[in-house]
Amino acid sequence: TLSPRMKILLPSLIIVSGLLNTIALLPFMPEFILDAEPRVQLEAILPLGPYNFSEVCRLLSHFDLYALLIIVILWTVCFPAFKLALMAYTIAFRTSEWLREKSAACLGQNARLSMMEIYFVQIFIMIFARQEHVIFVGITLRIDIEVQAGILLFHLGILLSMICGEIIEQMEYTRA
């Protein structure tokens, strides 16, 4: 059983993590702003300005990148929802000791796997932040990505779910 403190802390972490993930994916929440100089050269290929989850999905679909679109949807919508639901189930319902051990181990692995998502986004931002590319002699294209609230909220939601997963795994580990 959970201590009184954990009965409040764990569900609170799960709820806040879910809310942050949901807010980060709303259509009005920008994740980053893409800018370039001179604007005309990049805008012919990729629209400049704010991007959010729905805009990224629309662009992937527009360029027929359906496999990548499926991966993005699975990784940003389905995986976090599944992880949070498994956490809620693990702490809310009495299960067999075997199932509790397996779900706690799965949650611990998922928490560590979530770190890949943060690394992927950080690498993406590092690659495109303040880049200069010489297109022709004397013509340089500057690309910049400015991180917005959507990315920050999504990362905070991931970090909270990682903490929650680690707590659940450690509680099960110390119980055994």
Side-chain angles (χ1 to χ4, degrees):
T1 63
L2 296 173
S3 70
R5 185 180 317 156
M6 286 297 150
K7 285 182 180 179
I8 294 171
L9 178 65
L10 288 175
S12 299
L13 287 174
I14 292 169
I15 291 168
V16 171
S17 176
L19 287 172
L20 290 172
N21 285 337
T22 302
I23 292 168
L25 298 177
L26 290 174
F28 63 83
M29 184 60 65
E31 294 177 358
F32 61 89
I33 295 175
L34 179 64
D35 195 15
E37 193 63 43
R39 298 181 68 84
V40 177
Q41 296 196 352
L42 186 62
E43 225 167 13
I45 303 167
L46 196 60
L48 301 178
Y51 279 78
N52 56 31
F53 178 71
S54 59
E55 179 68 12
V56 169
C57 290
R58 187 190 67 73
L59 282 172
L60 290 173
S61 175
H62 174 75
F63 289 111
D64 297 330
L65 299 171
Y66 298 113
L68 189 56
L69 174 64
I70 290 169
I71 290 169
V72 166
I73 290 172
L74 287 174
W75 200 261
T76 58
V77 177
C78 299
F79 178 66
F82 170 76
K83 180 174 53 175
L84 294 173
L86 182 60
M87 286 180 192
Y89 180 81
T90 301
I91 65 170
F93 298 106
R94 290 184 178 266
T95 59
S96 68
E97 186 174 328
W98 178 85
L99 183 59
R100 196 173 51 248
E101 287 175 7
K102 293 296 178 192
S103 64
C106 179
L107 287 171
Q109 286 297 89
N110 284 337
R112 289 181 283 284
L113 184 64
S114 294
M115 199 62 188
M116 278 180 34
E117 191 166 352
I118 292 175
Y119 286 140
F120 175 74
V121 172
Q122 294 305 322
I123 289 170
F124 173 77
I125 291 168
M126 286 171 35
I127 289 171
F128 289 104
R130 302 183 194 274
Q131 292 292 313
E132 291 190 10
H133 303 280
V134 176
I135 302 201
F136 295 108
V137 176
I139 300 176
T140 302
L141 175 64
R142 290 179 184 82
I143 301 173
D144 193 20
I145 288 184
E146 182 182 325
V147 174
Q148 296 294 298
I151 293 273
L152 301 175
L153 291 175
F154 197 69
H155 280 189
L156 186 57
I158 291 169
L159 289 173
L160 289 178
S161 70
M162 288 171 59
I163 291 168
C164 192
E166 288 295 326
I167 290 172
I168 291 170
E169 184 182 36
Q170 288 303 313
M171 286 173 46
E172 188 55 41
Y173 180 73
T174 56
R175 185 183 303 170

